[in-house]
Structures are given as structure tokens and as C-alpha cells.
Amino acid sequence: MTGDIAFLGYGLAAIGPGIGIGLIFAAYINGVARQPEARNMLQTIAFTGMALTEALAILGLVFAFVFQGK
């Protein structure tokens, strides 16, 4: 068997941020459904959380390229 295991690790590491983003927006939708007047505040928090969660996925991709040749 040949190949590089770094990209397999990235594929597995991308599952976590995918689940995290789903949970963030599920909580956002639930919060807006309960209190529509808090939409603007919740939207800012949801997008900030999404950006931080997505940064983890991008960091995993960077590590996959960094450790590819080692």
C-alpha cells in the first residue's frame, strides 16, 4: 500500500468542524425561533463561532500539507 496518510488524517479531522458548524447553526435557528428580537445579536455570535470552527478545518488542511513529505 502506498500513499500519504496526512490527507486521510485531514479527511477525518474535517468531520469535527463539520459537526460543529451544524451544531452552531442548529442552536442559532433554535434561539431565533424562541426570541426573534434577539436575531441580530445571535447572528453575530453564530458567524463568529462559524469562523472559528472553520479556522480549525483550514488549520488541519495546512498541517496535512506541512507533514505530507515527512
Side-chain angles (χ1 to χ4, degrees):
M1 182 193 293
T2 62
D4 195 4
I5 200 161
F7 290 106
L8 176 66
Y10 170 67
L12 292 173
I15 293 172
I19 293 171
I21 289 174
L23 290 174
I24 288 169
F25 282 103
Y28 168 69
I29 291 169
N30 192 13
V32 170
R34 289 176 183 261
Q35 277 192 315
E37 66 274 3
R39 179 180 176 269
N40 290 333
M41 184 180 65
L42 292 175
Q43 186 174 22
T44 303
I45 294 170
F47 283 138
T48 304
M50 185 201 66
L52 292 173
T53 306
E54 193 63 33
L56 292 175
I58 293 170
L59 188 64
L61 180 64
V62 168
F63 283 152
F65 280 115
V66 167
F67 296 123
Q68 180 181 9
K70 296 181 181 182

